[in-house]
Amino acid sequence: SIYGAPVRNPDHATAGVESAVRMLAALRTMNEWFVARNLPQVAIRCGVHTGKVLVGNMGFESRMKYGAVGETSNVPAHLEEMNKNYETEMLISEATYSRILRESFIIRPVDFLVLCVGARPEHVYNVMGRRSKDPHLAKKRQGASLHADGMELYLARDFQEAIKKFEQGGDLFQEAFGQPDYPSNLMLKRCRSYAENPPPPTWDGVWDRAEKY
């Protein structure tokens, strides 16, 4: 989906994230209906990015479609695929994160990496839902805050302190969701690896080891 064109919307980034969150919420309701009737569940992943692209009708008079082209247009698909690495449902780029009404959602950074060839490393964020009526809302918000603190300490190379934050955040997420939190455990493994064998002085925050975590 494309937001901000052809109709201008100054809050297009927030609209895109809100749409994906609502879509995932609707799917959870559908899956409850499927389970009650012994039908297979459906799983999807979402990726949202904000950037400049060429948008409009493309093709020939006999075969035309409305779409977007440009390197930026490929990032959402990359983010969608990356959800597999963190066992998440929705990831957004730093460009989107910087433009949305963040107080409306529960968000945490889950990694620091390069999304486009030749670009600088950037945060990738996991959107865990809206700040609505939820009995576990306080734990999710606190867990997201601890995870963000852990990421800052991780990038500052203070891996021992980062471990404490990821452990605390992971415990809160496990209480809120009823299962271990994969992104927290992923970062704990990385921190322990770097604490045991520190990265070089030129390390830019991107995971650079053979282990796939």
Side-chain angles (χ1 to χ4, degrees):
S1 298
I2 303 170
Y3 294 83
V7 179
R8 286 185 176 275
N9 178 359
D11 294 325
H12 55 83
T14 299
V17 173
E18 177 72 19
S19 175
V21 168
R22 287 178 178 270
M23 183 168 61
L24 289 167
L27 182 61
R28 284 190 282 272
T29 301
M30 292 170 60
N31 279 329
E32 291 174 2
W33 189 91
F34 294 151
V35 169
R37 291 158 179 78
N38 295 318
L39 296 172
Q41 297 186 59
V42 177
I44 65 171
R45 302 177 300 269
C46 299
V48 182
H49 177 59
T50 304
K52 293 183 178 180
V53 292
L54 178 63
V55 181
N57 293 320
M58 303 173 194
F60 303 95
E61 185 176 349
S62 59
R63 186 178 180 84
M64 187 176 294
K65 73 167 187 175
Y66 183 87
V69 295
E71 185 177 14
T72 297
S73 65
N74 298 322
V75 176
H78 185 35
L79 289 167
E80 182 273 328
E81 185 73 15
M82 284 169 52
N83 278 288
K84 294 179 181 178
N85 300 336
Y86 313 101
E87 296 188 3
T88 52
E89 292 182 323
M90 182 177 176
L91 295 176
I92 65 174
S93 66
E94 193 172 290
T96 296
Y97 177 79
S98 67
R99 290 172 172 83
I100 63 173
L101 299 174
R102 294 191 289 273
E103 62 274 10
S104 301
F105 308 97
I106 303 172
I107 307 175
R108 61 169 166 178
V110 292
D111 211 342
F112 191 73
L113 42 77
V114 176
L115 288 178
C116 297
V117 177
R120 64 171 179 80
E122 62 180 89
H123 284 291
V124 170
Y125 296 85
N126 170 216
V127 180
M128 294 180 286
R130 287 176 301 199
R131 294 187 174 182
S132 56
K133 294 180 180 179
D134 181 342
H136 302 295
L137 178 60
K139 290 181 180 178
K140 291 178 182 178
R141 290 179 63 180
Q142 187 178 358
S145 178
L146 286 165
H147 198 96
D149 291 343
M151 286 297 296
E152 286 187 16
L153 291 164
Y154 171 79
L155 293 175
R157 304 169 66 100
D158 191 347
F159 303 113
Q160 293 296 348
E161 288 300 314
I163 286 172
K164 296 177 183 178
K165 298 294 184 181
F166 290 127
E167 286 178 337
Q168 294 168 4
D171 289 342
L172 286 170
F173 285 131
Q174 182 162 355
E175 292 175 14
F177 293 103
Q179 61 185 20
D181 181 58
Y182 189 87
S184 296
N185 291 330
L186 176 76
M187 293 309 301
L188 281 169
K189 291 177 182 178
R190 291 185 181 181
C191 285
R192 287 166 181 154
S193 175
Y194 281 138
E196 182 178 344
N197 183 15
T202 56
W203 181 64
D204 59 3
V206 176
W207 177 247
D208 58 359
R209 302 199 167 167
E211 296 86 354
K212 293 184 178 179
Y213 50 75

